[in-house]
Amino acid sequence: MTPGEHEVHIEISKEDIKFSIAHFTIFADGSRERLHGHNYRIRMVATYVVRADGMAVDYGLLKKALRKVCGRLDEYVLLPSGSRYLRVEETAGSVEATIGSSRFVFPAADVIVLPVENITGEALADHIRSDVLRALGEAGVDLPNRCEIGVSSGDGQWVSVIG
């Protein structure tokens, strides 16, 4: 930083920065929750240096990237590709997921298979953070020095990843 510059934390947490998904969490013993849904809200805390012009970044560009990432996940069944307990097979027009004695068959258009071990708040926060940083880079927006993404599945319950 040059003299007179300083860091700020910009927090973006808007009511419309959200997505809804269906999933089940897979536990360490290979058992699973029942298939269910969540309405997730997303919060971003980005650290930037305030430039000589008094600005750090255009907040609108941060919100646009967050909405884009949320829109890509909204109203899908999410399945992990990295679970040792879940077998996911994509065939013409459908996705079949097998865990233990349970078998699910979904229309392929309704499923996103994420490159994670499990569909948890922790995994979603990490995936979303990477996706938001990629979206910002693709849009030509300066990347923050530090980026925290928080994921909430309900009032008073957040998980955040910081990097």
Side-chain angles (χ1 to χ4, degrees):
M1 286 188 288
T2 61
E5 289 182 334
H6 59 281
E7 283 190 332
V8 292
H9 300 288
I10 298 168
E11 182 171 341
I12 306 291
S13 179
K14 301 295 239 174
E15 190 172 317
D16 68 329
I17 299 176
K18 62 184 177 181
F19 61 94
S20 300
I21 60 134
H23 83 116
F24 51 83
T25 298
I26 302 168
F27 299 109
D29 65 359
S31 64
R32 66 169 179 84
E33 295 177 311
R34 293 172 53 101
L35 181 65
H36 65 284
H38 287 284
N39 297 313
Y40 286 103
R41 290 196 57 215
I42 303 301
R43 174 182 68 216
M44 175 186 206
V45 180
T47 303
Y48 280 93
V49 172
V50 176
R51 301 179 307 241
D53 65 1
M55 288 188 63
V57 68
D58 180 342
Y59 295 15
L61 297 173
L62 299 180
K63 291 183 271 190
K64 184 176 181 178
L66 287 163
R67 289 181 180 114
K68 180 179 182 178
V69 169
C70 287
R72 287 195 277 233
L73 297 174
D74 195 32
E75 297 185 355
Y76 284 94
V77 175
L78 300 186
L79 296 172
S81 65
S83 172
R84 65 178 181 228
Y85 298 110
L86 181 70
R87 190 178 79 236
V88 178
E89 294 181 18
E90 299 181 49
T91 60
S94 66
V95 174
E96 182 175 321
T98 307
I99 181 168
S101 61
S102 299
R103 180 177 164 262
F104 302 88
V105 179
F106 302 103
D110 292 351
V111 175
I112 296 175
V113 179
L114 293 179
V116 297
E117 273 188 54
N118 211 342
I119 304 299
T120 61
E122 297 89 337
L124 287 172
D126 191 48
H127 175 77
I128 290 166
R129 182 182 172 279
S130 295
D131 215 10
V132 166
L133 291 173
R134 185 174 23 262
L136 290 171
E138 289 169 358
V141 179
D142 289 336
L143 297 181
N145 296 338
R146 184 172 152 239
C147 179
E148 174 183 341
I149 293 292
V151 174
S152 172
S153 60
D155 288 341
Q157 183 168 307
W158 288 89
V159 61
S160 295
V161 64
I162 304 166

